[in-house]
């Protein structure tokens, strides 16, 4: 048996997995261990070209224990969530053979073989952009490929769910629903794709990464406190979300932007309201977040119909979804007017991702930002104040595809000789 023979081979797989932003939020568990939610949720997968995790996983008879390196640093794999994912994957591993390299691994060998996992985000982890969702989904997806797990993506989503709830929605591109399920063992708490990323490709997404010095409450402990202390969350999970899920599915199917925007904004606001209804109250948004909401609300009102939807997760960053490219350029102009960069900033690192939005907005250097005029609805409200430096940077992106295997060996993060990070 190959796994015992002291052979030197290292077998590896590399995959790339997107992050996602919920437009109907998951907040609250009915089972902490299995990570089972108290309501369904719906998300948009973000283009992995701008925000994603790349993970390489390897197996070798010479590895002595399971190890993981995240963004260049080795971290412990002993946490219950990692262990649950590894156990679930190992129990579903199947026989593998590479005749050319003389590698043969049987289903039973996988129980004893140890793995190395090396993972990088293509965006700063500190920005608080759902890195755990992309990270855990990528870990599960790449290990499933390595171990020749034959289950479909919805079964893999149920494994990723046990790493981090929101991770289960990163197994698909486009628009994704996490069905809460009814079973106690979690077998029906899975993610399904509602529509792929091509279904509604007019949408353009701008993320404002908001400067913040405050240490935020983690989602895991925040939602635990909410479930224990908030009366509002019960009403939300039982009465509000089920209705919104249906309406949101319909809005996505019909590409009905006004309904999509109304539902996404209302749901983000209610999520932050249940955070305030928690004891002690949780504040994820800050003054900058509130100013961004006002800017969008005033503009939408001025136009008489929604141009842009906003949504905020467990932090102050704004995710702004505009109905089309033209609207996205107008949005970017408004954002840059209100939140110009520090005078010594570099425009190239102030607006990242899909730079064509910046170009279409007619902004080629910092002087163009200074020359921007206030938009009509801002002038009307005498709100021409500018908040320099309150946004760290903007990311322009769009709905994107699901996980993929990167077949090109040169993209592997693992040295094929040593099995260690490159
Ligand atoms: C506000 O998935 O990070 O982003 O399941 O405890 O790991 P755990 O929590 P996590 O919570 C995400 C909460 C949210 C809303 C959402 O993504 O639906």
């Amino acid at each position: 048996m190959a796994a015992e023979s002291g052979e030197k081979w290292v077998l590896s797989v590399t995959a790339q997995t997107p992050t996602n932003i919920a437009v109907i939020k998951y907040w609250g568990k009915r089972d902490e261990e299995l990570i089972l939610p108290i309501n369904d949720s719906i998300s948009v997968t973000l283009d992995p070209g701008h925000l994603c995790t790349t993970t390489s996983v390897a197996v070798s008879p010479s590895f002595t224990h399971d190890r993981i390196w995240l963004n260049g640093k080795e971290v412990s794999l002993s946490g219950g969530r990692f262990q649950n994912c590894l156990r679930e994957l190992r129990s579903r591993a199947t026989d593998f053979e590479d005749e050319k390299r003389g590698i043969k691994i049987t289903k039973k060998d996988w129980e004893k073989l140890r793995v190395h996992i090396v993972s990088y985000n293509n965006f700063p982890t500190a920005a608080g952009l759902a890195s755990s969702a992309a990270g855990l989904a990528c870990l599960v997806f790449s290990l499933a490929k390595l171990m020749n797990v034959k289950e479909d993506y919805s079964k893999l989503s149920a494994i990723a769910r046990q790493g981090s709830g929101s991770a289960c929605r990163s197994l698909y591109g486009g628009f994704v629903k996490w069905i809460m399920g009814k079973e106690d063992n979690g077998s029906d708490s899975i993610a399904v794709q509602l529509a792929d990323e091509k279904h509604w490709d007019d949408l353009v997404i701008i993320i404002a990464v908001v400067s913040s010095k405050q240490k935020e409450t983690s989602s895991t402990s925040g939602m635990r406190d909410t479930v224990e202390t908030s009366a509002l969350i019960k009403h939300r999970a039982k009465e509000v979300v089920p209705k919104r899920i249906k309406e949101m599915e319909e809005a996505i199917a019909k590409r009905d932007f006004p309904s999509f925007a109304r539902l996404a904004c209302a749901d983000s606001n209610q999520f932050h309201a249940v955070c305030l209804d928690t004891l002690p109250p949780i504040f994820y948004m800050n003054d900058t977040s509130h100013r961004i909401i006002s800017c969008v609300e005033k503009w939408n009102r001025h136009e008489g119909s929604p141009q842009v939807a906003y949504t905020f997760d467990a932090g102050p960053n704004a995710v702004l979804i505009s109905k089309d490219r033209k609207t996205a350029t107008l949005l970017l102009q408004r954002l840059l007017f209100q939140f110009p960069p520090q005078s010594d900033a570099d425009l190239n690192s102030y607006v990242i991702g899909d730079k064509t939005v910046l170009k279409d907005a007619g902004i080629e250097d910092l002087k163009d930002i200074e020359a921007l005029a206030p938009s009509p609805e801002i002038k009307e409200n005498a709100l021409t104040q500018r908040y320099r430096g309150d946004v760290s940077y903007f990311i322009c992106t769009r709905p994107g595809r699901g996980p993929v295997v990167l077949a090109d060996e040169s993209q592997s993060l693992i040295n094929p000789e040593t099995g260690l990070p490159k």
Side-chain angles (χ1 to χ4, degrees), residues 20-29 32 35-36 39 41-43 81 130 132-133 136 161-169 178 218-221 223-224 271-272 275 284 312-315:
N20 70 78
I21 177 74
V23 287
I24 301 291
K25 305 288 183 193
Y26 146 55
W27 196 252
K29 299 183 183 68
E32 291 274 338
I35 311 197
L36 301 177
N39 57 254
S41 54
I42 293 181
S43 61
R81 290 175 169 206
S132 73
L136 265 305
R161 188 201 75 227
Q162 297 175 59
S164 179
S166 53
C168 74
R169 298 185 311 239
W178 174 11
S218 80
S219 302
T220 308
S221 73
M223 67 176 84
R224 190 183 302 132
F271 154 51
H272 291 277
C275 289
Y284 284 129
F312 296 73
D313 272 351

Side-chain angles (χ1 to χ4, degrees), residues 374-390:
S375 50
E377 75 280 3
I378 285 188
K379 264 207 304 227
E380 240 167 53
N381 288 281
L383 286 172
T384 47
Q385 199 180 338
R386 303 181 88 168
Y387 297 90
R388 196 172 295 281
D390 285 1

Side-chain angles (χ1 to χ4, degrees), residues 47 50 200-206 257 299 307-308 321-334 353-362 396-399:
D47 187 342
H50 307 130
W200 199 351
D201 65 357
D202 284 348
L203 301 181
V204 176
I205 300 172
I206 299 180
F257 190 79
W299 184 24
Q307 308 296 302
V308 174
I321 308 176
S322 38
K323 66 177 175 147
D324 53 31
R325 273 191 77 84
K326 175 84 189 107
T327 315
T329 61
L330 296 172
L331 170 66
L332 190 59
Q333 287 171 344
R334 280 166 169 79
D354 178 2
K355 306 253 186 200
T356 62
V357 184
L358 190 65
K359 203 162 157 267
D360 290 357
C396 298
T397 186
R398 63 178 86 85

Side-chain angles (χ1 to χ4, degrees), residues 286-349:
N286 63 19
D287 288 353
T288 310
S289 320
H290 294 147
R291 278 186 196 112
I292 295 173
I293 293 182
S294 291
C295 163
V296 173
E297 289 284 358
K298 289 206 176 75
W299 184 24
N300 285 346
R301 193 160 291 242
H302 183 85
E303 296 294 330
S305 70
Q307 308 296 302
V308 174
Y310 55 82
T311 186
F312 296 73
D313 272 351
N317 300 331
V319 178
L320 303 162
I321 308 176
S322 38
K323 66 177 175 147
D324 53 31
R325 273 191 77 84
K326 175 84 189 107
T327 315
T329 61
L330 296 172
L331 170 66
L332 190 59
Q333 287 171 344
R334 280 166 169 79
L335 291 168
L336 291 173
F337 173 81
Q338 236 190 336
F339 304 100
Q342 304 284 15
S343 49
D344 58 348
D346 164 25
L347 181 60
N348 225 3
S349 44

Side-chain angles (χ1 to χ4, degrees), residues 68-354:
I68 185 168
W69 292 261
L70 297 181
N71 296 309
K73 226 177 104 203
E74 182 162 16
V75 298
S76 165
L77 251 181
S78 65
R81 290 175 169 206
F82 279 137
Q83 289 303 319
N84 289 348
C85 291
L86 282 171
R87 191 195 58 241
E88 293 288 316
L89 287 161
R90 283 198 166 104
S91 73
R92 289 170 175 80
T94 69
D95 296 352
F96 171 86
E97 183 163 12
D98 181 338
E99 272 183 19
K100 259 206 340 249
R101 295 182 62 193
I103 303 173
K104 194 169 177 198
I105 308 172
T106 67
K107 181 171 168 52
K108 259 185 103 215
D109 291 339
W110 286 113
E111 294 292 334
K112 286 178 259 126
L113 282 166
R114 301 298 103 187
V115 292
H116 285 181
I117 304 162
V118 182
S119 194
Y120 268 97
N121 295 327
N122 70 349
F123 55 94
T125 320
L129 292 166
S131 54
S132 73
L136 265 305
C138 207
L139 180 144
V140 168
F141 181 78
S142 51
L143 281 173
K145 295 290 170 196
L146 179 76
M147 296 181 175
N148 211 13
V149 173
K150 300 238 166 71
E151 314 268 357
D152 62 23
Y153 281 26
S154 72
K155 293 262 169 46
L156 294 186
S157 81
I159 302 175
R161 188 201 75 227
Q162 297 175 59
S164 179
S166 53
C168 74
R169 298 185 311 239
S170 274
L171 262 304
Y172 299 97
F175 300 82
V176 184
K177 170 160 120 171
W178 174 11
I179 302 168
M180 64 178 283
K182 289 193 194 76
E183 300 296 335
D184 286 343
N185 68 7
S187 57
D188 57 349
S189 188
I190 56 168
V192 294
Q193 188 179 52
L194 297 175
D196 71 14
E197 61 279 16
K198 288 180 225 79
H199 166 72
W200 199 351
D201 65 357
D202 284 348
L203 301 181
V204 176
I205 300 172
I206 299 180
I207 304 172
V209 178
V210 170
S211 320
S212 154
K213 287 178 192 69
Q214 196 188 313
K215 168 106 185 69
E216 281 138 25
T217 314
S218 80
S219 302
T220 308
S221 73
M223 67 176 84
R224 190 183 302 132
D225 291 350
T226 301
V227 170
E228 277 170 16
T229 63
S230 165
L232 193 54
I233 189 77
K234 295 185 181 63
H235 172 68
R236 165 175 168 75
K238 199 161 166 268
E239 309 291 340
V240 182
V241 176
K243 200 164 157 258
R244 271 189 194 154
I245 289 278
K246 275 206 198 98
E247 291 174 357
M248 184 56 101
E249 280 190 58
E250 232 177 85
I252 291 169
K254 293 188 193 146
R255 291 183 283 260
D256 169 0
F257 190 79
S259 301
F260 175 87
R262 182 179 53 76
L263 291 161
C265 297
D267 203 70
S268 171
N269 290 333
Q270 188 177 70
F271 154 51
H272 291 277
V274 300
C275 289
L276 267 187
D277 193 46
T278 300
L279 203 70
I282 308 166
F283 311 103
Y284 284 129
M285 294 195 285
N286 63 19
D287 288 353
T288 310
S289 320
H290 294 147
R291 278 186 196 112
I292 295 173
I293 293 182
S294 291
C295 163
V296 173
E297 289 284 358
K298 289 206 176 75
W299 184 24
N300 285 346
R301 193 160 291 242
H302 183 85
E303 296 294 330
S305 70
Q307 308 296 302
V308 174
Y310 55 82
T311 186
F312 296 73
D313 272 351
N317 300 331
V319 178
L320 303 162
I321 308 176
S322 38
K323 66 177 175 147
D324 53 31
R325 273 191 77 84
K326 175 84 189 107
T327 315
T329 61
L330 296 172
L331 170 66
L332 190 59
Q333 287 171 344
R334 280 166 169 79
L335 291 168
L336 291 173
F337 173 81
Q338 236 190 336
F339 304 100
Q342 304 284 15
S343 49
D344 58 348
D346 164 25
L347 181 60
N348 225 3
S349 44
Y350 196 57
V351 181
I352 62 171
D354 178 2

